[in-house]
Amino acid sequence: MNDKIVDKIINCAYRDAGLFTKIQIFILTMKDREVKELYCKYRATASEVRKIKEDELPERCVEKINENAGLKPSKDTSFFTDIVILFTSKPMIASFAAFVLLGILITAIYIKRPEQQIEYSQEEILKAGNDAKLVFETINKAFEKTKNEIEEEIFKDKIAMPLNKSLNKISKIISKGDIK
Amino acid sequence: MSGGFRLYIRKMIIEAKYHYFIRLYKNKIFTYALYMLKNRMDADDVTQEVFIKIWKNIEEVNYNSAKTWIIRTTHNACIDLLRKRGIELKRETGIDEYFEETYAGNKTENDPYVSFNMKHTGETIKEAIQRLPGNLKSVFVLYEIEELKYKEISNSLGIPLNSVKVYLMRARKRLQEELEKKEICGAENYE
């Protein structure tokens, strides 16, 4: 077992290895007992190391830190702080979010706006009624005139009388027996 | 009036930024200092010092590079404190003698029953990590416990990327050796 293999075993145990190395070591552990033992040892240590968490700074130290800067102690999480940090640390995301919010706001205001109602006075309504009446009377007169013209002049003079004359002539011709 | 209002807003933003850094990095700084100095009081002092430096440079500190800068400042503060106390960070070949001095009277260390049965538990591992030589310990703690990436560690400690990988590998091997030595000692004492 050379140094290179040992390094690969350690990397595998600490989950630092690539897929190819993992496969290689897996195959070796199946074949070689020594490799397997070494891998298990390092794997056990790596699991324990991974469980180690960061130590918590005592609260009195945090208060002292704020005192040194001349600040009031603040809560660990603050909505206001998060918003300020979002806008100052990630300006692109904040600008995009602001743009989207503005668009939604404008759209909402535009959709919800009340419809404009036009109000008319009593005189205007009466005047409009009279105007409409006048218009209908004019149209009626025009229709009447046209009807009279058709009945009296066109139908009587231009169609009925000449037709009557023609029919009388034909009747005379037939009665005299003048058909040769 | 508008000048005063702008100043007020600026002050609020700076304070929010500082509280954000406290929230995000207080435990990282304290943990790293604790491993390097092996003493809670010294770790407290270093944490205070680092946050004073952060406050003084709050406007210049960039969100993106804050982590690297803060870890570097913490590391330098630890080294300065160790130098002041005349303790040299041993190179990888040496055992950390300061550890022996600090933990000489530790009951757990001398109790063979406890030592043997604590075999690879959290406390044993922590003690073994603290025994590692300085430069290996820095890299190990930053990678495994603080969960920094190789590049971040390289920038924080000012060492090349390949050195980070080499130190990490050596730290893992040394840690395993320390644990096996302790197990053997524990077993012998128990008998």
Side-chain angles (χ1 to χ4, degrees):
Chain A
M1 213 173 11
N2 57 33
D3 283 344
K4 238 182 168 180
I5 296 289
V6 172
D7 288 355
K8 285 184 179 179
I9 292 167
I10 296 170
N11 279 337
C12 264
Y14 276 86
R15 294 188 189 168
D16 253 353
L19 182 63
F20 181 72
T21 311
K22 282 182 189 166
I23 295 169
Q24 191 185 7
I25 297 301
F26 176 71
I27 294 168
L28 276 172
T29 55
M30 306 280 272
K31 288 182 188 172
D32 194 332
R33 201 176 150 191
E34 210 183 319
V35 169
K36 189 176 182 179
E37 273 174 18
L38 191 67
Y39 175 77
C40 290
K41 263 193 234 173
Y42 275 100
R43 186 69 193 271
T45 308
S47 308
E48 288 303 320
V49 167
R50 216 165 286 120
K51 286 179 193 168
I52 298 174
K53 301 284 170 214
E54 287 176 350
D55 287 86
E56 284 271 336
L57 183 70
E59 212 40 58
R60 52 172 177 78
C61 292
V62 180
E63 285 165 14
K64 231 176 161 185
I65 286 167
N66 283 313
E67 264 175 46
N68 289 340
L71 300 173
K72 279 182 254 177
S74 82
K75 275 186 245 176
D76 252 357
T77 54
S78 155
F79 179 70
F80 172 73
T81 314
D82 290 342
I83 294 290
V84 169
I85 296 305
L86 178 68
F87 273 83
T88 53
S89 68
K90 295 188 175 24
M92 291 297 283
I93 294 172
S95 308
F96 179 73
F99 182 74
V100 166
L101 267 167
L102 199 66
I104 292 168
L105 201 67
I106 291 169
T107 312
I109 290 170
Y110 185 78
I111 289 168
K112 288 260 178 202
R113 69 180 175 161
E115 291 204 11
Q116 282 181 356
Q117 294 196 358
I118 306 166
E119 286 182 11
Y120 295 102
S121 65
Q122 204 61 31
E123 288 116 10
E124 281 173 325
I125 296 168
L126 274 168
K127 189 173 179 283
N130 291 336
D131 287 344
K133 225 178 180 178
L134 201 66
V135 164
F136 286 129
E137 277 174 14
T138 312
I139 293 169
N140 198 33
K141 273 184 192 166
F143 275 130
E144 286 287 333
K145 195 177 170 193
T146 311
K147 182 186 161 202
N148 291 337
E149 253 185 50
I150 291 171
E151 279 179 1
E152 300 297 321
E153 292 171 23
I154 298 170
F155 194 70
K156 197 176 171 185
D157 294 340
K158 306 274 182 303
I159 298 169
M161 275 182 71
L163 192 65
N164 208 19
K165 258 187 189 174
S166 311
L167 284 169
N168 284 339
K169 272 189 182 171
I170 293 167
S171 174
K172 272 183 192 171
I173 293 166
I174 293 169
S175 64
K176 277 184 184 175
D178 239 319
I179 300 167
K180 285 188 183 167
Chain B
M1 175 77 168
S2 69
F5 181 71
R6 253 187 284 159
L7 268 168
Y8 176 72
I9 295 293
R10 191 164 154 262
K11 188 179 165 233
M12 269 205 312
I13 290 171
I14 287 170
E15 283 180 21
K17 191 177 178 183
Y18 187 61
H19 286 303
Y20 173 74
F21 283 145
I22 292 175
R23 191 176 8 134
L24 215 59
Y25 296 114
K26 61 179 180 175
N27 293 337
K28 279 196 177 349
I29 295 168
F30 182 67
T31 304
Y32 184 72
L34 196 57
Y35 276 99
M36 293 300 284
L37 304 169
K38 300 164 200 141
N39 183 317
R40 289 194 90 88
M41 277 179 64
D42 289 345
D44 274 352
D45 290 342
V46 162
T47 311
Q48 303 284 334
E49 200 184 310
V50 169
F51 274 109
I52 289 170
K53 284 192 179 147
I54 293 173
W55 178 246
K56 284 183 179 165
N57 296 292
I58 192 71
E59 291 187 72
E60 286 85 36
V61 177
N62 187 314
Y63 287 101
N64 296 330
S65 57
K67 196 196 246 182
T68 315
W69 184 84
I70 287 168
I71 297 292
R72 193 184 319 132
T73 308
T74 311
H75 178 77
N76 293 339
C78 292
I79 301 225
D80 289 343
L81 189 64
L82 287 169
R83 278 191 190 138
K84 258 189 220 170
R85 295 180 188 192
I87 304 327
E88 223 181 279
L89 275 182
K90 294 289 178 196
R91 299 222 166 260
E92 57 187 272
T93 50
I95 296 167
D96 211 335
E97 283 154 5
Y98 180 60
F99 176 83
E100 297 294 337
E101 286 167 25
T102 315
Y103 284 84
N106 191 327
K107 271 193 177 170
T108 328
E109 277 285 303
N110 296 329
D111 187 342
Y113 178 78
V114 175
S115 299
F116 184 71
N117 281 289
M118 270 169 78
K119 208 184 178 179
H120 292 199
T121 57
E123 285 307 312
T124 328
I125 303 262
K126 278 186 181 177
E127 281 171 18
I129 292 170
Q130 288 185 334
R131 281 180 192 275
L132 292 173
N135 51 357
L136 303 189
K137 182 169 44 178
S138 305
V139 173
F140 188 85
V141 168
L142 288 174
Y143 188 80
E144 299 290 352
I145 299 169
E146 309 269 353
E147 294 177 352
L148 266 67
K149 297 181 185 124
Y150 289 135
K151 187 93 179 126
E152 289 173 331
I153 298 172
S154 168
N155 291 337
S156 301
L157 301 182
I159 56 177
L161 195 67
N162 282 334
S163 300
V164 172
K165 294 178 185 177
V166 168
Y167 286 171
L168 185 63
M169 181 57 68
R170 288 178 188 167
R172 286 167 175 169
K173 286 178 180 170
R174 282 298 293 265
L175 179 67
Q176 197 64 33
E177 283 167 20
E178 286 291 321
L179 289 169
E180 280 168 12
K181 222 189 284 175
K182 201 177 171 73
E183 213 178 292
I184 292 165
C185 290
E188 279 172 4
N189 288 339
Y190 186 65
E191 280 164 17

